[in-house]
Amino acid sequence: MFPTVREVLALDPVRHGAPRVVAGDAGLDRPVRWVHVAEVPDIATLLGGGELVLTTGIGLPGDDAGLRAFIGDLADVGVSGLVVELGRRYFSGVPRVMAATAERRGLPLVELRRATPFVRITEAVHALIVDAQLTELRATEEIHQRFNDLSVEGADAAEVIRQAAELSGCPVVLENLSRQVLGYDHAGESAELLLDGWEQHSRRIRPAGRTAYDPDSGWLVTAVGARGQDWGRLLLRWPANGDVPSVRAGAPAAGPPTRLSILIERAASTLALGRLIRRDAEGLERQIHRTLLTALLDHSRPVDEVALRAKALGVLLDRRHLVGVMVRHRADDPAGESGPEAGQARLRDLSEAVGQAVREAKLTALTSAVDDNSVGALLALPDPAAEDRALSAFAGALRRVRLDAGTGRATSGVDPSRGGGPGAVIVAAGSGVSSLREARRSLVEARQIAEAARRDRRDLPIFRLPHVGLAGLLHLLRDEPRLQTFVERELGALLEYDARHPREQLLDTLRAYLEQGRNKSAAAAAAHLSRPAFYERLARIARILDVDLDSVEAALSLHVALLALEAVRAP
């Protein structure tokens, strides 16, 4: 916000005086807080530091000891520099003792070799300072307005960080108390260099105070939290090029302007307020997990960015064996009975259980709810040989966690967390892959297996592709146009007939016949029809479809078509 001594010497009124630096040029980058004209030797007692002192020297001591004391007092109080106009007390130059003392104390000493009205210098410098202060004030006002808007809009953490980086032009990082990166904006710099070895680097940043600048690392830091409970730190790197200016002898430490301290504090307040507002929603880490898993499923972000953000969060996905896992309740939550809020709570409980199971099994994974029914996990394993062991450990930990939480408490000798009870869950795993670019295939496969396994009443700790049988295979292929064409070719005529005669529903009759192994008597009983009525319906179905229902090949084809129809109709 303040001009430096070097910048003051470049102003026209000063250049008119033909300035020459005779000592202390190492301190020319000191900021000038104000300009003060003085002609008395004890002026230092009236100064507060940061002033540029102008004098003609007419009131200065005439002895060397007095001049040394005068320069020493100015240096002690922290003035930015001393400008002496020649021609009234000193003609050819300032005394050598003044120059020697100023050089030793690192105090810039400047001669003006041509007479110059001091008022023009003070006006020019003060105008520069006032303009800088007005600019700073406008910037501060914009900061307050921008973050007020973000608070009102309920902006997420990523948007708050982006705005902070945009307003400052500097990289910004949000971390939790374990020094894991929750979000960042590299402000055009290299994200890899910014986040490389972040935890170790962050632990070396130790500012003094809740909001403070650490000159050794070049980071401006503030705590993030509310109600006396901090949950993270927000860091802004200054200067933007990463080079911390050296502190010259006797000069104050270089640091960011005041507006950046205001900016980072307002950004931290906005983040804390947003977390309070969303205190009943997912934690910030889980939100980021969900963002990354969703990005893999729908290709919304490059996989390199997903890998980088996951690494900053403490989940290494590069050069790992990856396995997609989906966990869901076997039965959908009836919306009419419990409502959407209960359904969300049910899913949130399952998501927390999956996350805790990953921790208890000592696995590394991204975990989050991925839709209204399923919780996904992408396990990152050291090698393929660890796959079966890791999946077994996860499934066992999940069962223990759910039983401990009471969501799967056994009653009457039945463990509802498994099998077909009301709290039963399905754990499905896709095929392991060796690249993050293939992770989507494993996740999608796990989701499809979980959906297909809902029709399987076996009590398996983990469902894999070989377990889902024909019905599962058809479910995996349900979006395949050729399968849909097959269903229409085999059953289209019967579906059209049922649409015109909704009371008959011959499709159910055909299903009962095929599910009972073409035993007509058993099928009639299952359909709650007399045998003559059931036989008549079968004859009508044979005419509509133009097939021989006694043919094994025709019955098999129709049975596959029925299973495929169920898979296509499944939500």
Side-chain angles (χ1 to χ4, degrees):
M1 182 165 61
F2 299 111
T4 64
V5 175
R6 192 187 307 277
E7 291 169 337
V8 169
L9 295 181
L11 294 174
D12 288 341
V14 181
R15 292 173 58 194
H16 175 77
R20 183 170 74 93
V21 179
V22 296
D25 60 347
L28 292 178
D29 291 319
R30 289 179 173 183
V32 176
R33 187 176 58 83
W34 205 245
V35 178
H36 197 89
V37 179
E39 298 294 353
V40 293
D42 59 349
I43 187 62
T45 59
L46 304 177
L47 303 177
E51 296 90 352
L52 182 67
V53 177
L54 308 181
T55 183
T56 62
I58 58 175
L60 296 186
D63 60 305
D64 289 354
L67 289 176
R68 289 192 192 97
F70 173 70
I71 295 297
D73 290 343
L74 293 181
D76 289 341
V77 81
V79 300
S80 298
L82 174 64
V83 179
V84 180
E85 182 188 74
L86 302 181
R88 299 196 181 187
R89 173 71 181 275
Y90 309 118
F91 295 94
S92 60
V94 298
R96 291 183 179 178
V97 67
M98 285 184 67
T101 305
E103 183 66 28
R104 186 173 66 253
R105 298 299 302 269
L107 177 68
L109 177 59
V110 181
E111 295 177 342
L112 293 181
R113 292 167 291 171
R114 185 185 303 158
T116 301
F118 284 170
V119 66
R120 294 182 181 175
I121 296 177
T122 58
E123 284 178 347
V125 176
H126 292 169
L128 199 63
I129 293 172
V130 171
D131 285 346
Q133 290 174 329
L134 287 174
T135 300
E136 192 84 355
L137 183 61
R138 294 190 187 99
T140 301
E141 186 177 343
E142 182 183 358
I143 289 169
H144 285 295
Q145 185 61 50
R146 186 80 64 93
F147 286 106
N148 281 342
D149 292 343
L150 291 174
S151 297
V152 171
E153 294 168 1
D156 60 16
E159 179 62 16
V160 174
I161 295 169
R162 188 189 71 79
Q163 294 280 1
E166 179 181 303
L167 288 170
S168 65
C170 304
V172 177
V173 176
L174 173 65
E175 65 177 17
N176 62 17
L177 297 180
S178 298
R179 303 300 195 267
Q180 293 177 326
V181 177
L182 302 178
Y184 71 94
D185 191 301
H186 51 82
E189 297 187 23
S190 169
E192 288 79 4
L193 292 178
L194 178 69
L195 299 178
D196 185 41
W198 175 260
E199 181 179 343
Q200 292 75 20
H201 176 64
S202 173
R203 293 187 185 281
R204 293 193 293 269
I205 303 173
R206 304 174 66 88
R210 186 170 179 83
T211 299
Y213 179 65
D214 180 16
D216 294 333
S217 62
W219 285 92
L220 176 63
V221 185
T222 190
V224 183
R227 298 177 179 174
Q229 295 183 342
D230 293 338
W231 52 265
R233 296 198 307 177
L234 190 63
L235 302 93
L236 182 149
R237 191 165 70 183
W238 171 266
N241 62 9
D243 296 327
V244 180
S246 60
V247 180
R248 302 188 186 279
T258 304
R259 66 177 177 84
L260 290 188
S261 295
I262 296 173
L263 182 149
I264 196 172
E265 288 182 339
R266 284 306 317 272
S269 298
T270 303
L271 289 168
L273 178 61
R275 180 147 172 152
L276 284 176
I277 293 174
R278 296 186 296 271
R279 62 186 180 277
D280 292 330
E282 296 173 308
L284 186 55
E285 294 90 340
R286 196 59 52 210
Q287 292 180 39
I288 299 172
H289 277 233
R290 181 167 190 165
T291 298
L292 298 181
L293 277 178
T294 303
L296 289 174
L297 285 167
D298 60 17
H299 297 300
S300 60
R301 295 174 185 265
V303 293
D304 292 341
E305 180 183 345
V306 172
L308 180 62
R309 295 195 65 181
K311 180 180 179 182
L313 198 60
V315 181
L316 185 62
L317 299 178
D318 285 330
R319 296 185 296 278
R320 289 293 185 272
H321 183 71
L322 306 174
V323 182
V325 175
M326 289 289 166
V327 182
R328 62 159 298 149
H329 288 95
R330 187 178 288 275
D332 287 334
D333 183 44
E337 295 181 11
S338 57
E341 292 184 2
Q344 292 172 7
R346 183 173 184 247
L347 184 64
R348 185 167 60 247
D349 290 343
L350 183 59
S351 180
E352 291 175 357
V354 170
Q356 186 175 343
V358 167
R359 292 189 293 273
E360 288 197 6
K362 295 181 172 55
L363 299 173
T364 299
L366 292 175
T367 65
S368 172
V370 293
D371 55 39
D372 292 340
N373 299 303
S374 305
V375 176
L378 182 62
L379 304 184
L381 309 176
D383 55 70
E387 182 176 315
D388 291 341
R389 184 172 63 255
L391 288 173
S392 297
F394 168 74
L398 179 62
R399 181 170 179 268
R400 290 192 300 273
V401 167
R402 299 189 73 244
L403 284 172
D404 291 343
T407 56
R409 185 176 293 111
T411 57
S412 303
V414 178
D415 179 1
S417 68
R418 301 177 64 177
V425 296
I426 293 169
V427 180
S431 302
V433 296
S434 59
S435 166
L436 187 57
R437 299 185 184 280
E438 301 177 277
R440 180 181 184 274
R441 174 167 60 83
S442 184
L443 287 166
V444 170
E445 184 178 296
R447 175 186 275 173
Q448 293 173 333
I449 293 171
E451 181 63 32
R454 295 173 63 199
R455 299 164 182 79
D456 193 317
R457 309 319 298 176
R458 287 177 295 176
D459 181 13
L460 298 178
I462 301 174
F463 281 87
R464 306 298 297 269
L465 193 57
H467 297 140
V468 296
L470 177 60
L473 174 64
L474 294 174
H475 182 83
L476 297 179
L477 298 174
R478 63 178 180 168
D479 294 326
E480 170 60 51
R482 286 175 292 185
L483 180 67
Q484 297 169 7
T485 300
F486 169 73
V487 172
E488 288 300 315
R489 185 175 63 247
E490 293 293 313
L491 300 175
L494 191 61
L495 292 171
E496 291 176 5
Y497 180 89
D498 281 353
R500 294 194 304 270
H501 306 84
R503 292 186 177 181
E504 295 189 36
Q505 293 301 304
L506 295 180
L507 189 70
D508 292 338
T509 303
L510 177 62
R511 181 181 291 109
Y513 172 67
L514 296 174
E515 288 181 350
Q516 295 299 323
R518 295 186 298 125
N519 183 321
K520 296 179 181 178
S521 298
H528 305 290
L529 293 172
S530 65
R531 279 187 289 179
F534 189 79
Y535 297 163
E536 192 276 329
R537 285 194 173 201
L538 286 181
R540 203 180 321 159
I541 291 171
R543 290 193 302 270
I544 293 171
L545 296 179
D546 192 21
V547 295
D548 179 6
L549 293 180
D550 292 327
S551 166
V552 174
E553 182 177 349
L556 176 61
S557 182
L558 289 173
H559 201 174
V560 172
L562 276 172
L563 293 174
L565 178 63
E566 292 178 3
V568 170
R569 286 178 171 177

